[in-house]
Amino acid sequence: MIETDLPGDESPTLTDGILAAVDPARARDGIQRVLHAIRCHLGMNVGFLTEFIGPNRVFRYVDTDTVSLPLKVGQSLSLEQGYCLKVVQGRLPTLIVDTHDEPAALAIPETGTIPIGSHLSVPIRLRDGTVYGTFCCFSFEPRPSLNERDLAFFSTIADLVASQIDDQIATTRSLRAKADAIQAVIAEGGLDTVFQPIHRLEDRSIAAFECLTRFPKAPFKPVVEWFQDAVAVGCGLELEFAALESSVARLKAWPVPITASLNMSPRALLARDLAPILDGIDLGRIVVEITEHEQVFDYPRLNQVLDGLRARGLRVAIDDAGAGYSSLRHILLLRPDIIKLDLSLVRDIDRDADRQALADALTLYCRRSGIAIVAEGIETEAEFATLRRMGIELGQGYLLSRPGPLATWSDAAGHQKARSV
């Protein structure tokens, strides 16, 4: 019998299977449960779902109460064999109570060799009307109790399964399209880097820059979606390193060194040696920003990597402080040189006492620990004034400047004389 996660010998109910199947996150397991449940409900020995691919039918799901049946998930047989295609074409009825009473069934070799006593089979039709394959159950002996009501119920369950398969196909196509778009961007150098200044709040002068990735070519969607899609299709690291290389290339091409921040995930820091990528850059002017939105599962190893870069002058910032998974854990275990207050903490800070209290606590910690603090996402003069009054010395946001090419700030970028953040 095909393994399921049903407990012990407890008999499954059709409700169990249907509820599992309608949850997209458990779609495949749900279909298996439905197949198992309907087979048991009808008292059949074998249930399966096939997909028609060219001249063959491929068994996508199999459930049986015997170990001797030579049907396996992934097995491919000719459509000319067996019942499936003949049912779809109308050459066999969808319900056969006793194959001995159906001459067309007796003419099929499998009827005698398996043997097949009773048979239920309906097409799996997708929303666009195409036939995906068939949903089938059969018993080794005739089941005289089977009737049209059983067939109607079986067809309803098949429609539910068809809906789940439709969703799976749509998801697969969507992921494939996303993967193709990401790979095209990487292969064609379709990434761009813009720079957002980090300002001294005292006089609004530029202290440093943050490198930000942009995707100027279609499809046009928010940057965060590109990276989320890349993770979903399994090429998150590939895209992240392409973005890093784009930023580093821009920095190397600028005629004078500038202080700049590069965003990196903990996974990327652990995945590859950054030394070859950063070769030729003064790491004393580079800050790696590690987001709080991603969990760290191996702090000792991550610190080992960071310590090797720190020995060459690189500094570490915790990005999005106050908004992610780890909060104080990131700060305490990674020992950052800089903490960046997340924009969700900065937004409306002038009117929100709770935000002010949290920002005050982080600011006090930074002062006592010798850590620089940067406020992100400053958009109003009231936010700016509140942050200054709280003693926060550095910030960035649309109120101060928007991201753009380095040439936009050529004077400031050309005359930075030392690390300012």
Side-chain angles (χ1 to χ4, degrees):
M1 175 178 171
I2 299 298
E3 294 279 330
T4 70
D5 61 1
L6 296 168
D9 295 327
E10 183 179 336
S11 178
T13 67
L14 286 169
T15 302
D16 290 335
I18 292 170
L19 288 176
V22 297
D23 179 359
R26 300 176 60 200
R28 182 166 185 83
D29 177 64
I31 292 174
Q32 186 68 47
R33 283 158 109 28
V34 166
L35 179 60
H36 181 68
I38 192 68
R39 180 187 67 76
C40 294
H41 177 74
L42 296 174
M44 307 295 263
N45 299 110
V46 180
F48 60 85
L49 186 153
T50 65
E51 179 184 4
F52 292 177
I53 300 179
N56 298 316
R57 53 181 176 144
V58 178
F59 290 80
R60 295 303 185 196
Y61 299 84
V62 177
D63 188 85
T64 175
D65 60 8
T66 179
V67 296
S68 61
L69 188 74
L71 286 181
K72 297 179 180 179
V73 173
Q75 184 176 356
S76 178
L77 296 174
S78 170
L79 276 171
E80 297 303 320
Q81 294 177 257
Y83 287 46
C84 293
L85 181 62
K86 299 175 180 63
V87 169
V88 171
Q89 292 176 337
R91 292 153 55 194
L92 279 176
T94 53
L95 169 62
I96 303 175
V97 175
D98 188 340
T99 56
H100 293 90
D101 298 331
E102 181 59 52
L106 288 175
I108 299 172
E110 289 82 1
T111 301
T113 56
I114 287 179
I116 299 175
S118 292
H119 191 273
L120 269 170
S121 180
V122 294
I124 296 288
R125 294 189 183 277
L126 304 180
R127 294 186 188 107
D128 62 3
T130 60
V131 174
Y132 172 85
T134 53
F135 192 61
C136 308
C137 277
F138 67 83
S139 60
F140 300 134
E141 300 292 336
R143 292 283 188 269
S145 61
L146 291 174
N147 53 45
E148 291 297 323
R149 186 173 179 179
D150 292 322
L151 175 60
F153 187 54
F154 190 75
S155 297
T156 299
I157 300 301
D159 289 341
L160 170 66
V161 170
S163 178
Q164 293 299 103
I165 291 172
D166 244 323
D167 291 342
Q168 290 178 8
I169 291 172
T171 298
T172 299
R173 286 174 178 166
S174 174
L175 291 175
R176 185 177 295 117
K178 291 174 180 177
D180 290 345
I182 291 165
Q183 291 296 338
V185 163
I186 294 172
E188 297 167 9
L191 292 164
D192 195 11
T193 299
V194 294
F195 296 79
Q196 183 171 29
I198 298 170
H199 295 262
R200 302 177 186 90
L201 299 191
E202 180 183 10
D203 59 6
R204 304 199 186 198
S205 62
I206 294 176
F209 295 89
E210 179 180 358
C211 301
L212 299 171
T213 298
R214 293 294 182 264
F215 297 82
K217 295 183 179 180
F220 299 105
K221 55 187 175 184
V223 172
V224 66
E225 288 188 20
W226 279 97
F227 285 97
Q228 289 171 344
D229 290 347
V231 171
V233 300
C235 55
L237 289 176
E238 189 176 357
L239 182 60
E240 190 169 346
F241 277 106
L244 175 65
E245 289 168 354
S246 171
S247 297
V248 169
R250 298 296 188 281
L251 292 174
K252 288 181 177 179
W254 192 248
V256 294
I258 62 171
T259 301
S261 297
L262 302 168
N263 290 279
M264 295 199 68
S265 70
R267 284 194 316 131
L269 286 164
L270 294 174
R272 280 174 57 183
D273 180 10
L274 297 187
I277 299 175
L278 298 175
D279 185 50
I281 291 182
D282 176 10
L283 293 194
R285 288 184 173 271
I286 298 297
V287 176
V288 165
E289 294 190 16
I290 303 174
T291 181
E292 261 201 337
H293 291 286
E294 184 172 317
Q295 289 178 292
V296 175
F297 296 101
D298 192 343
Y299 280 101
R301 185 168 166 235
L302 181 57
N303 270 317
Q304 184 180 14
V305 170
L306 292 174
D307 287 346
L309 295 168
R310 278 171 156 156
R312 298 171 54 197
L314 179 138
R315 286 167 298 150
V316 174
I318 298 298
D319 196 13
D320 307 319
Y325 280 115
S326 304
S327 299
L328 296 179
R329 183 174 175 81
H330 257 25
I331 294 170
L332 292 173
L333 295 182
L334 293 179
R335 310 183 309 277
D337 305 284
I338 302 163
I339 290 176
K340 302 188 75 174
L341 298 182
D342 186 70
L343 61 85
S344 64
L345 186 58
V346 172
R347 185 67 62 251
D348 296 324
I349 195 169
D350 54 298
R351 297 181 290 172
D352 191 318
D354 291 336
R355 284 181 167 86
Q356 290 178 30
L358 180 53
D360 265 332
L362 286 169
T363 302
L364 178 60
Y365 170 81
C366 288
R367 284 189 190 131
R368 290 181 174 179
S369 304
I371 298 172
I373 189 164
V374 180
E376 296 185 289
I378 304 171
E379 293 191 355
T380 69
E381 290 290 349
E383 292 168 353
F384 177 85
T386 301
L387 293 164
R388 277 204 66 189
R389 188 167 60 251
M390 293 170 62
I392 294 175
E393 298 179 350
L394 298 161
Q396 61 189 117
Y398 284 179
L399 173 70
L400 303 171
S401 56
R402 290 175 177 264
L406 266 179
T408 306
W409 304 280
S410 57
D411 290 341
H415 294 91
Q416 280 192 332
K417 301 195 182 298
R419 305 190 315 191
S420 302
V421 176

